[in-house]
Amino acid sequence: MRTFFVLLFCSIPFGVIDAQEKQTTPIASLDPEMADGKHADDGLSWHDVTEWGVEGRILPDQERQRWFDRLPGSAEGNVTNAVWNLSRHSAGMMVRFKTDATSIDIDYKLLTKNLQMSHMPATGVSGVDLYARDDSGKWRWVQVTRPTSQEVKTKLVDGLAEGDREFAAYLPLFNGVESMSIGVPPDSKFEFLAPRTKPIVFYGTSITHGACASRPGMVHTAILGRRFDTPVVNLGFSGNGKMDAAVGDFLTQIDAAVFVIDCLPNMNASMVSQKCVPLVQQIREKKPDTPIVLVEDRRNTNSWILPTREKHHIANHNALQTAYEKLKSESVNNLYYISGDALYGSDGEGSTDGSHASDLGFMRQADVFDPVLRQALGLVE
């Protein structure tokens, strides 16, 4: 039998094997929708976004080491090295503008050449994600860049319907930006829209940071910003959202509409017990009336079969609930709470890797956050 198998294998023509190995036709030639993107046009009018500012960049009047850093330069040496390095990412930043252009180009340089991760595409890690208001004023997705190098100069979209409309471009989630300009035909109108004030401020972990959204506009923080039509600050620090007082020092300097504290995925029950109450008290001392929302960690979507992980979630939830009750007993006002049990849904399909959200998981989180934030913002009739 062994001899027969060897002879049968050897009888396969080498040309057939060679042909199979050489099937390397670029996918873009088979499906144009899979192409990297078109080259930017010549002769455009280019507009440097630093001329009018971006939302999600806190304390813009304070000195910065790089214009697109989320934290001012004074954070270096005060927050942990990990938080400082992660603050160089442009997660949550968004620039708004109006134009009647039927095509929009973009030219930006990324901080690092690490364009993607094994479980998160370049469109989310390093892409710029474009939205526009439709005729009813609702934000609708338009297009996202598909980075293949550290310097991206590309036609973002063309063939747009005629009309003067508002656009919003979300910046990369897990990469930084060194420079960014938006290009339109020279005969087009172009109006800067200044960053809005009183944002919803999210302080959290890699999930808040945006892992593993397919596009920057698909993080729950961005989804909620569009729903409420309000600015958002994303202070998610992957692996390092730990209710640090040093980060609290910067939170208390922000004129926020709401503070959302969503750090439990990076903490254990002991850390929650030690750090939650002091952080809320720290914020409340400087911001006596600003609503504060405490968020439980999501149950990993596979924790149903991982007993140790399930015990971790239960302990974390209990610790946060105890802290919340203590704060309420001390008459801390304007305090809200979000349960973590359904943040990814109940079917186990809301995550990419068990811990980090897929786009489905981000949409489900937004749906759970929505009514609590609506109440905190005073939007409930």
Side-chain angles (χ1 to χ4, degrees):
M1 179 65 72
R2 179 180 299 173
T3 302
F4 174 76
F5 175 79
V6 172
L7 290 173
L8 179 63
F9 176 79
C10 292
S11 69
I12 298 174
F14 286 111
V16 173
I17 298 175
D18 189 55
Q20 291 173 345
E21 290 177 347
K22 290 183 178 179
Q23 288 180 357
T24 57
T25 304
I27 187 66
S29 68
L30 303 174
D31 183 354
E33 293 296 329
M34 300 290 280
D36 293 335
K38 300 178 182 179
H39 293 296
D41 286 338
D42 295 324
L44 298 176
S45 293
W46 289 99
H47 303 275
D48 185 340
V49 303
T50 65
E51 294 177 7
W52 73 96
V54 299
E55 294 178 358
R57 177 178 173 269
I58 71 166
L59 309 173
D61 295 332
Q62 295 189 21
E63 184 177 348
R64 269 174 165 70
Q65 293 191 17
R66 291 172 51 258
W67 197 91
F68 289 95
D69 288 346
R70 285 184 284 168
L71 296 179
S74 59
E76 186 177 21
N78 287 308
V79 300
T80 65
N81 288 337
V83 167
W84 169 249
N85 290 328
L86 292 165
S87 76
R88 321 306 294 275
H89 294 168
S90 53
M93 290 189 186
M94 184 258 274
V95 59
R96 299 182 307 128
F97 58 94
K98 277 187 177 180
T99 184
D100 63 355
T102 56
S103 65
I104 297 173
D105 293 50
I106 191 160
D107 183 0
Y108 65 103
K109 182 177 180 181
L110 293 158
L111 176 62
T112 77
K113 62 182 179 181
N114 301 320
L115 304 181
Q116 61 191 27
M117 293 187 276
S118 60
H119 61 343
M120 185 175 176
T123 48
V125 172
S126 303
V128 171
D129 201 11
L130 187 67
Y131 281 73
R133 290 192 193 272
D134 64 15
D135 292 339
S136 67
K138 181 180 179 181
W139 287 110
R140 301 285 298 275
W141 182 75
V142 177
Q143 191 53 270
V144 65
T145 62
R146 305 173 190 190
T148 57
S149 65
Q150 194 171 349
E151 296 191 34
V152 182
K153 189 174 184 179
T154 186
K155 179 170 292 301
L156 184 48
V157 64
D158 61 3
L160 293 169
E162 294 185 356
D164 192 9
R165 56 178 59 86
E166 180 180 350
F167 291 88
Y170 292 91
L171 275 59
L173 293 170
F174 277 84
N175 208 330
V177 173
E178 295 284 3
S179 61
M180 178 176 161
S181 295
I182 295 166
V184 295
D187 57 349
S188 301
K189 297 178 184 176
F190 193 91
E191 179 185 350
F192 304 154
L193 295 177
R196 297 165 294 179
T197 58
K198 293 196 78 70
I200 303 173
V201 177
F202 295 85
Y203 172 34
T205 67
S206 54
I207 300 164
T208 300
H209 200 143
C212 291
S214 66
R215 302 183 278 104
M218 278 307 300
V219 184
H220 63 294
T221 59
I223 294 169
L224 291 162
R226 293 192 299 276
R227 284 190 188 177
F228 297 129
D229 206 8
T230 192
V232 164
V233 164
N234 182 327
L235 294 180
F237 303 112
S238 186
N240 288 273
K242 298 180 179 180
M243 297 189 183
D244 291 336
V247 175
D249 288 338
F250 290 95
L251 296 178
T252 60
Q253 297 177 58
I254 304 171
D255 183 19
V258 181
F259 292 105
V260 180
I261 310 301
D262 190 2
C263 294
L264 261 66
N266 288 163
M267 303 176 73
N268 57 37
S270 176
M271 295 169 66
V272 175
S273 298
Q274 293 172 18
K275 301 176 79 171
C276 180
V277 170
L279 178 63
V280 172
Q281 291 172 336
Q282 180 184 9
I283 296 172
R284 188 52 79 231
E285 181 181 355
K286 295 290 182 68
K287 303 291 181 181
D289 300 312
T290 306
I292 299 172
V293 180
L294 300 178
V295 187
E296 290 181 349
D297 56 339
R298 301 109 187 96
R299 292 184 186 271
N300 283 27
T301 51
N302 56 357
S303 67
W304 66 273
I305 202 170
L306 300 173
T308 300
R309 193 64 189 171
E310 187 69 2
K311 289 179 182 178
H312 169 84
H313 291 314
I314 292 170
N316 262 10
H317 292 184
N318 289 340
L320 190 67
Q321 290 166 3
T322 298
Y324 174 73
E325 294 301 331
K326 175 177 173 57
L327 289 162
K328 295 290 285 186
S329 71
E330 295 175 353
S331 300
V332 175
N333 67 320
N334 247 345
L335 192 63
Y336 299 85
Y337 196 92
I338 293 178
S339 170
D341 290 345
L343 282 171
Y344 283 165
S346 58
D347 55 11
E349 302 293 351
S351 172
T352 297
D353 56 9
S355 174
H356 300 103
S358 61
D359 288 354
L360 174 63
F362 279 119
M363 188 63 72
R364 286 174 169 175
Q365 288 180 87
D367 289 342
V368 175
F369 275 66
D370 185 312
V372 178
L373 285 176
R374 197 171 295 277
Q375 184 179 4
L377 290 165
L379 301 177
V380 177
E381 297 181 358

